[in-house]
Amino acid sequence: MNQFNHDPAAGECGAFSEGGLSSPLTAPVNKIIPFSSVDGYGNRTAIFLQGCNQNCLYCHNPETIRMCIACGRCVDACPANALSLQEGRVVFQIDKCCSCDTCIRICPHDASPRIRNLTPKEVFREISPNLPFISGITTSGGECMRHPAFLTALFSLVRKEGKTTFIDTNGQIPLKDYPELLEVTDKTMIDLKAGDDEDHIRLTGLGVSQVVENIRLAASLDKLYEIRTVVVPGIVDNEKTVRLGSQLIASWPSVRYKLIKYRPFGVRREYADIPVPDDKTMESLRQTAWDLGVKNVVIS
């Protein structure tokens, strides 16, 4: 299996304005899914932000990792003429986009040009028609915690409407550093990708200690909805990962452990041939979690 060149600094913590300058009140929005049943409880609107501070070998959305560098390769390739190169940046016109993903397939940089730099109020206005039909919103990515000020402002608006706010995060940014954001966050969903630093660094480019710290903190504050582990054959010790995750949440019976079968959809070509774990493997890992005291284990 080919090893991947990690770039842990693929994105810096912060937000981005349309001119490429840092701003605490805008964030690069990759896409908004109006209705989702897999991003927390109930029916939710999921908001995906661009840019990630990890670079997972088997990333299922590698086009969300980096910011567009305006190389222009996607502009001529776009069949809908939804992209143009203006003053050194790629401009995206969402009303022209046909969602064919040609731009994503042709990009050599693990980026997407289909980004809109929006303020919290702009996102809120866009999702407002969904509010009567959803339980709340979930922000994801990429890594949405790279934009804590944006999340705080957006969550405050959503909370005023009586809806819940979830953060889907890889756990690499310390939650304790953002008490104002935690105050307006109902729940977090945190990825646990490997059971020790060696495996985690090989898989993502970063260690696991910060993830563990965030899981412990979120659970202690009753702000942890679930932890998730993608079960990938042959890359990490999945049994060790599930043992660590189970030990972290066993004392918190309301927290569920979601075990996700690796599937090759959307991954880089060199990882498309990794086999999907069989049902026996998944059930064995679920039994491990049960044996260690986890009450709620879901296989997806």
Side-chain angles (χ1 to χ4, degrees), residues 9-210:
E12 297 298 328
C13 185
F16 296 84
S17 70
E18 291 190 36
L21 300 176
S22 179
S23 165
L25 293 177
T26 62
V29 177
N30 179 287
K31 63 182 173 182
I32 297 175
I33 298 178
F35 304 108
S36 170
S37 60
V38 297
D39 292 292
Y41 71 79
N43 194 14
R44 312 188 69 78
T45 291
I47 301 157
F48 293 79
L49 304 184
Q50 184 74 13
C52 191
N53 53 351
Q54 288 191 155
N55 200 341
C56 299
L57 293 179
Y58 63 80
C59 181
H60 287 77
N61 300 288
E63 74 278 3
T64 67
I65 294 175
R66 297 184 177 92
M67 302 303 298
C68 174
I69 62 171
C71 69
R73 289 186 59 176
C74 57
V75 174
D76 291 336
C78 178
N81 295 317
L83 302 170
S84 59
L85 197 58
Q86 300 178 20
E87 298 179 353
R89 66 187 182 95
V90 175
V91 176
F92 171 52
Q93 293 178 266
I94 190 172
D95 56 321
K96 292 185 176 182
C97 182
C98 63
S99 300
C100 66
D101 290 346
T102 298
C103 56
I104 291 173
R105 288 194 296 270
I106 202 171
C107 180
H109 188 61
D110 286 338
S112 170
R114 301 193 318 226
I115 305 302
R116 294 179 295 152
N117 292 283
L118 303 177
T119 67
K121 287 185 178 180
E122 287 172 330
V123 172
F124 181 74
R125 282 198 296 269
E126 187 165 328
I127 68 174
S128 287
N130 307 337
L131 293 178
F133 310 104
I134 61 175
S135 303
I137 70 167
T138 299
T139 55
S140 186
E143 177 48 52
C144 64
M145 274 298 297
R146 296 170 68 249
H147 310 278
F150 175 90
L151 297 187
T152 302
L154 176 61
F155 284 9
S156 297
L157 293 170
V158 172
R159 278 286 202 85
K160 288 179 181 178
E161 299 299 318
K163 302 300 178 179
T164 56
T165 54
F166 277 35
I167 294 174
D168 177 354
T169 176
N170 62 30
Q172 291 292 0
I173 294 173
L175 293 173
K176 64 180 176 60
D177 291 350
Y178 302 99
E180 292 182 357
L181 174 55
L182 282 174
E183 182 65 27
V184 293
T185 299
D186 287 295
K187 296 289 183 179
T188 59
M189 302 185 295
I190 302 178
D191 296 331
L192 182 68
K193 295 181 181 292
D196 59 30
D197 271 340
E198 182 179 355
D199 272 356
H200 209 278
I201 290 170
R202 184 171 66 253
L203 178 62
T204 73
L206 296 173
V208 74
S209 58
Q210 183 59 66

